[in-house]
Amino acid sequence: MGFSKDFVWGAATASYQIEGAAYEGGKGEHVWDVACKQGRNIFDGHTAESGCDHYHRFREDVALMKEMGLKAYRFSLCWTRLMPEGRGELNPDGVRFYNELIDELLGAGIEPYITLFHWDYPYKLYLQGGWLNPDSPVWFAEYAAKVAELFSDRVSHFITVNEPQCFIGLGLYRGEHAPFLKLSPEEALLAWHNTLKANGLAVRALRAHGKQPLQIGIAVANDILMPCASEDAALAEKENFIPRSDNFFTNSLFTDPIVFGRYPEGMAEAFGARFSYDPADMDIIKCDIDFIGLNIYHGAYVKADGKGGVTRVTPGMNTPHTDMRWTVSPESLYYGPTAYFKRYGLPIYITENGVAVTEWPSSDGGVHDAARIEYVRSYLHQLKRASEDGADIRGYFYWSLMDNFEWAEGFSKRFGLIYVDYDTKKRTPKDSARAYSEIIATNGETL
């Protein structure tokens, strides 16, 4: 046993993090463009205006993907590269770029997985209230329809939104990501609700305008709870989906409404919020997705607290941490997919998993990232275990294909399988790229 014979091995990126060309080719501004231009809130004033220059170097990057043996590539579209003001006319240069990228991938035998929205919200629409505007779901559905018309003749897998926990929870509530707002709980929950409506309308728009049968899903961030001992397993699994105080990273907050047509019990109370909505909205929010994408990097061990709940176990001093200060916890890739599959019964993709470590080229020109190799192997071993125990796991996308702009951290964190010299834009596959290639070649049998 192990991974299925048609298991999808891939890598992932996001548009603003790698494309560069922020003010080229007719592209409009989005909230991250404006945040970087203001020179505040981003590490050392970094900006992704030129970034990794994927916009000009995508053919080189696809060649590296092919050399690595990737079966699929998950990337996001820049909404304002396609529609500079978020609505209205299409930008021909943006359409050309994504058409050429898709064709290059297909020519290399790599299947494109498109994410419609990975945080780069159109600035013109933000000035009209963004996700707080009651019309925002319609704006997003219009965009989704255009994407389907443009690309669904060649692309069959779409992800509507990536990590609302971050672009709402961090961007609009905690003030840690663009546009760096700290809205009230009521306002943030309204934006969340509108995002759920946008997702529902977008799923329907993709299907209505698709030129072939499509596989459509979402990608969510996770806070995975893992049992310290076998007797804690059932309690930890249940606790994974119970709303926690003031926390958009509760695992059920986005998926319960989409799959079951209801919010998890106690959500508004957890935020101390007066939150109401039209019950008819749930007819829009509940929608027919084909899979759930999980972005999992770490988890927390818990044990019974003697009161029917759990308490988190403080990591020991020998627990390894990544450059993001996240614990290295491979079992999160067992308990997370297992819990989600049991609760929702939908196929699972790991749409992001990876590690940032401190590294630089050695005197021989190579990047010898042994820690990343160990991270990938240990996490995939646990994912394989989840598959063998019955979870329907369809694929794994390493984050990230290449080093890139890590949002508020700027270029200070390196997640990539490919090292990028940000001055020259030179690409250098790391040792981990070769190790991942070997895993792919054996379909994980060597784990």
Side-chain angles (χ1 to χ4, degrees):
M1 293 179 64
F3 296 114
S4 63
K5 65 180 188 318
D6 56 354
F7 190 81
V8 177
W9 295 97
T13 63
S15 51
Y16 189 60
Q17 292 182 270
I18 69 164
E19 281 183 4
Y23 295 97
E24 293 183 42
K27 175 186 157 296
E29 280 192 320
H30 52 64
V31 293
W32 278 97
D33 287 319
V34 174
C36 287
K37 192 165 62 175
Q38 290 172 341
R40 302 190 300 270
N41 301 310
I42 314 296
F43 176 81
D44 271 3
H46 290 179
T47 170
E49 285 187 18
S50 62
C52 303
D53 199 30
H54 178 71
Y55 182 78
H56 297 110
R57 297 170 181 257
F58 70 89
R59 289 186 172 85
E60 175 187 353
D61 294 334
V62 173
L64 289 170
M65 295 181 219
K66 182 177 181 180
E67 181 181 314
M68 204 182 302
L70 295 187
K71 306 300 182 186
Y73 174 51
R74 178 191 168 216
F75 63 97
S76 73
L77 305 174
C78 176
W79 188 343
T80 58
R81 196 177 292 285
L82 285 173
M83 303 172 74
E85 297 192 359
R87 304 186 73 193
E89 295 297 317
L90 288 166
N91 171 30
D93 283 342
V95 173
R96 172 200 55 76
F97 168 66
Y98 291 118
N99 272 328
E100 290 182 0
L101 173 58
I102 290 166
D103 289 344
E104 193 76 12
L105 288 165
L106 293 173
I110 299 168
E111 186 171 8
Y113 280 60
I114 284 181
T115 302
L116 271 65
F117 178 68
H118 196 134
W119 308 1
D120 40 6
Y121 198 85
Y123 189 61
K124 289 288 183 68
L125 297 185
Y126 166 74
L127 292 177
Q128 297 176 49
W131 292 117
L132 288 170
N133 191 309
D135 292 331
S136 58
V138 175
W139 302 339
F140 190 63
E142 291 172 349
Y143 167 55
K146 290 292 186 183
V147 168
E149 291 168 359
L150 289 168
F151 307 125
S152 67
D153 58 330
R154 289 153 293 155
V155 179
S156 60
H157 288 77
F158 289 87
I159 292 166
T160 50
V161 295
N162 181 81
E163 296 186 340
Q165 296 83 357
C166 294
F167 66 80
I168 301 294
L170 301 184
L172 301 182
Y173 191 51
R174 295 188 192 173
E176 297 174 10
H177 279 186
F180 296 98
L181 299 182
K182 293 185 178 181
L183 300 179
S184 70
E186 287 81 7
E187 292 169 321
L189 285 170
L190 173 60
W192 185 268
H193 188 75
N194 285 338
T195 302
L196 278 163
K197 289 177 65 177
N199 176 79
L201 292 178
V203 169
R204 292 168 175 83
L206 286 169
R207 296 206 192 280
H209 295 270
K211 298 180 179 179
Q212 60 176 312
L214 302 180
Q215 290 285 302
I216 303 171
I218 56 173
V220 291
N222 295 272
D223 183 16
I224 302 300
L225 302 182
M226 308 174 293
C228 278
S230 57
E231 58 266 27
D232 300 319
L235 193 56
E237 183 178 298
K238 177 184 176 182
E239 197 75 16
N240 261 307
F241 299 101
I242 295 175
R244 292 190 286 281
S245 177
D246 206 27
N247 189 352
F248 276 104
F249 284 80
T250 296
N251 295 327
S252 57
L253 218 58
F254 206 71
T255 41
D256 268 20
I258 290 171
V259 178
F260 300 142
R262 63 177 185 269
Y263 280 113
E265 186 177 351
M267 182 194 74
E269 292 81 357
F271 283 90
R274 300 178 303 279
F275 176 62
S276 62
Y277 56 89
D278 184 345
D281 288 349
M282 282 301 171
D283 294 332
I284 299 171
I285 289 170
K286 184 179 181 181
C287 57
D288 184 23
I289 58 173
D290 299 294
F291 63 89
I292 297 175
L294 302 179
N295 297 353
I296 298 176
Y297 294 89
H298 59 99
Y301 284 100
V302 296
K303 61 183 179 181
D305 63 4
K307 304 174 185 177
V310 299
T311 182
R312 296 194 182 213
V313 177
T314 303
M317 292 180 66
N318 289 323
T319 301
H321 287 70
T322 74
D323 267 16
M324 297 294 289
R325 295 294 183 189
W326 300 336
T327 59
V328 176
S329 39
E331 284 189 307
S332 60
L333 228 53
Y334 173 80
Y335 288 107
T338 298
Y340 269 90
F341 181 68
K342 186 178 292 187
R343 185 175 182 87
Y344 300 110
L346 288 169
I348 301 294
Y349 286 85
I350 301 302
T351 37
E352 289 183 24
N353 170 253
V355 61
V357 297
T358 300
E359 60 197 3
W360 54 87
S362 297
S363 57
D364 61 6
V367 181
H368 307 304
D369 53 339
R372 181 172 289 107
I373 293 171
E374 176 59 27
Y375 178 100
V376 171
R377 292 186 64 85
S378 63
Y379 273 72
L380 282 174
H381 178 76
Q382 293 296 329
L383 184 64
K384 185 178 182 180
R385 177 184 161 212
S387 180
E388 291 173 342
D389 281 358
D392 184 2
I393 300 168
R394 302 289 178 88
Y396 171 88
F397 291 82
Y398 178 82
W399 182 272
S400 169
L401 173 70
M402 66 181 74
D403 295 335
N404 56 43
F405 179 82
E406 187 50 42
W407 308 112
E409 300 287 350
F411 293 102
S412 68
K413 311 297 182 187
R414 292 184 178 267
F415 278 86
L417 296 167
I418 298 168
Y419 183 89
V420 178
D421 182 318
Y422 296 123
D423 293 326
T424 66
K425 314 304 182 188
K426 179 184 176 182
R427 278 86 160 123
T428 302
K430 304 174 186 178
D431 287 356
S432 58
R434 287 177 280 275
Y436 188 41
S437 181
E438 292 170 3
I439 292 170
I440 295 170
T442 65
N443 199 36
E445 291 181 8
T446 57
L447 292 168

